Amino acid sequence: MTLFYDNYGHILYNVILRIVRSESLAEDALQESMVKIWSSFASYDANRGRLFTWALNICRNAAIDCIRTRHYHERQKTQPLEKSAACYEMAASGFQPEHVGLRELVMCLKPNDRKIIDLLYFGGFTQAEVADELQVPLGTVKTRARAAMHALAKAAR
């Protein structure tokens, strides 16, 4: 395994790094991949392809699994405001000061609808992610979001 790692470790690490875009995540994914390669080496079939290709597929799949995890998505969404370029930009020309009270309007919604709006518009979640988070069908999320938007439109008048 040491010989394998010495010959292929750096290349596999770079492939993983290109996918996950984080050195610490790439190191973790490479380590998990090496353990998997070691433990499943008996399943390698030389007739189906080269050893490097087989190992590369294991590493690529580990990297893809890594970026699909909830932790990765949350880490990508939550970035300190100080590091964001948005804090240095002027407000958009379409900015309307009356929208500042939007959170207060959202508080008037039913609790289920409020949770969906909070996740969608303030949390940056997609509808599918909200469905996963709340463990409800995607159609329910869409229906509640639409009803909540209508309720907010009425309350804003």
Side-chain angles (χ1 to χ4, degrees):
M1 193 62 189
T2 303
L3 180 63
F4 177 83
Y5 182 81
D6 289 343
N7 288 322
Y8 299 116
H10 185 69
I11 297 167
L12 295 173
Y13 171 79
N14 286 329
V15 169
I16 293 170
L17 182 61
R18 276 191 222 134
I19 296 171
V20 299
R21 297 185 186 126
S22 164
E23 290 181 7
S24 63
L25 289 175
E27 290 168 0
D28 291 344
L30 180 63
Q31 182 176 358
E32 290 174 21
S33 297
M34 288 298 171
V35 170
K36 186 168 186 174
I37 289 167
W38 175 258
S39 64
S40 62
F41 190 75
S43 68
Y44 167 66
D45 182 6
N47 295 327
R48 295 182 62 197
R50 293 179 28 205
L51 176 63
F52 176 73
T53 307
W54 177 75
L56 181 65
N57 283 329
I58 291 174
C59 291
R60 185 179 56 83
N61 290 339
I64 291 169
D65 289 345
C66 183
I67 63 173
R68 285 183 178 162
T69 62
R70 181 172 175 79
H71 173 73
Y72 179 84
H73 288 289
E74 290 302 315
R75 190 171 166 200
Q76 293 302 99
K77 286 182 198 170
T78 56
Q79 156 182 148
L81 187 58
E82 297 82 34
K83 291 184 179 180
S84 171
C87 72
Y88 299 108
E89 294 179 10
M90 297 295 291
S93 60
F95 176 72
Q96 298 172 337
E98 63 271 12
H99 289 174
V100 173
L102 186 59
R103 278 205 187 267
E104 289 75 21
L105 279 175
V106 170
M107 295 306 291
C108 299
L109 295 173
K110 296 178 197 172
N112 286 339
D113 294 345
R114 182 174 49 233
K115 183 68 175 168
I116 288 174
I117 295 298
D118 281 341
L119 292 173
L120 284 173
Y121 295 99
F122 300 121
F125 283 61
T126 64
Q127 289 179 335
E129 290 172 334
V130 171
D132 289 342
E133 176 76 17
L134 300 178
Q135 297 181 352
V136 296
L138 180 59
T140 302
V141 171
K142 290 180 179 189
T143 301
R144 287 183 185 169
R146 185 177 185 140
M149 293 303 291
H150 284 293
L152 285 172
K154 282 184 182 179
R157 288 184 193 153

